[in-house]
Amino acid sequence: MMIRPILAAAIASCVALPAVAQDGPRLDMPAVTVSGEASVSAPPDLAQIDAGVASDAKTAREAAEANNAAMAKVLQALKTAGLADKDVQTSRLSLQPQYAPNRPGQTQVTSYRASNRVTIKLREVAKVASVIDTVVGAGANDVGNIYFTVSEPSKLLDDAREKAVADARRKAEIYAKAAGVTLGKPLSISEDGAPAPVFRAKNFGAPMAATPTPVAQGEETLSITVNVTWAIKAGP
């Protein structure tokens, strides 16, 4: 029986595959796997504030109109303070009925609440307190969370990666010495998850005091965990 050329070529390629696969690192050889950890800290250079206005009225239209007028003042205040349009984004807009206290078999609408909330991005964290005071002074009564973070964590994370691998090597050498073997080359390196800055948030509620809003920015911590498998061989 004659095997056609195309079929013969396919069989030959399948037979050759195992030999090619064996050229890579052999993960079945004696090895030790450890995790290395590292963290770096830096002052934040980016902040985010959630702020807006909630308005109550007897009718839905009255609530919406009051809210629109109040929010327009807040947005104008932000523009006057130098905030760019791209850094102020609507995050929530709602109009909902408000009900009387629950009574068996009764559902009565007593009023309506309109809410408009924006997310404010600040590229100068030193202005966080003044921006909060600005929106509150303009009529914002729904000031929520504030987040601090590092805008470009890549360089900091690269430094943490080097330290994490060094930490993994240190641990692997301890295990190797205790087991009476010698540490060889790394066979594989992997990183846990997607490293990112650790966000810190604080809820301000609705500050109404005339005194300046106290804000502490602190530092942001970025953490890395790597898993490294090292080859081991008999000790000297």
Side-chain angles (χ1 to χ4, degrees), residues 20-29 185-188 229 231:
V20 174
Q22 290 177 0
D23 291 341
R26 288 179 52 200
L27 298 182
D28 59 340
M29 66 176 62
K185 295 181 178 180
L187 301 177
S188 68
T229 298

Side-chain angles (χ1 to χ4, degrees), residues 3 9 13 19 21 33 43 55 63 91 112 136 157 170 172 195 206-207:
I3 300 178
S13 64
T33 300
S55 306
S91 58
Y112 289 84
V136 172
L157 288 172
R170 178 187 63 82

Side-chain angles (χ1 to χ4, degrees), residues 18-235:
V20 174
Q22 290 177 0
D23 291 341
R26 288 179 52 200
L27 298 182
D28 59 340
M29 66 176 62
V32 58
T33 300
V34 296
S35 295
E37 301 173 341
S39 298
V40 292
S41 296
D45 59 358
L46 187 66
Q48 178 178 300
I49 303 170
D50 293 332
V53 179
S55 306
D56 293 322
K58 287 293 184 181
T59 68
R61 181 172 181 175
E62 290 174 340
E65 290 179 348
N67 190 259
N68 291 343
M71 194 61 189
K73 293 180 180 179
V74 173
L75 294 177
Q76 183 58 48
L78 288 171
K79 184 172 292 188
T80 302
L83 272 293
D85 290 342
K86 67 178 181 179
D87 291 332
V88 181
Q89 184 179 49
T90 299
S91 58
R92 189 185 70 195
L93 185 63
S94 68
L95 177 61
Q96 298 178 336
Q98 305 298 300
Y99 298 95
N102 290 335
R103 295 178 181 178
Q106 295 184 7
T107 301
Q108 181 181 359
V109 175
T110 58
S111 63
Y112 289 84
R113 173 169 295 177
S115 177
N116 191 336
R117 205 174 197 194
V118 294
T119 296
I120 306 165
K121 183 180 293 185
L122 295 176
R123 304 177 191 278
E124 296 181 57
V125 295
K127 293 183 177 181
V128 169
S130 65
V131 169
I132 292 174
D133 294 337
T134 294
V135 296
V136 172
N141 58 6
D142 184 13
V143 181
N145 294 325
I146 175 172
Y147 299 89
F148 290 105
T149 187
V150 178
S151 59
E152 296 182 1
S154 298
K155 294 182 179 180
L156 294 172
L157 288 172
D158 287 345
D159 182 40
R161 289 182 177 101
E162 293 183 4
K163 293 179 179 179
V165 172
D167 182 52
R169 175 182 286 276
R170 178 187 63 82
K171 294 176 181 177
E173 288 176 344
I174 292 175
Y175 285 123
K177 182 178 180 181
V181 297
T182 301
L183 200 64
K185 295 181 178 180
L187 301 177
S188 68
I189 302 176
S190 64
E191 188 174 287
D192 280 355
V198 176
F199 293 94
R200 291 180 294 106
K202 182 176 181 180
N203 192 303
F204 283 91
M208 299 301 292
T211 56
T213 302
V215 176
Q217 66 187 52
E219 285 191 337
E220 296 307 298
T221 300
L222 300 92
S223 301
I224 286 288
T225 299
V226 297
N227 303 304
V228 186
T229 298
W230 307 82
I232 56 175
K233 51 189 177 181

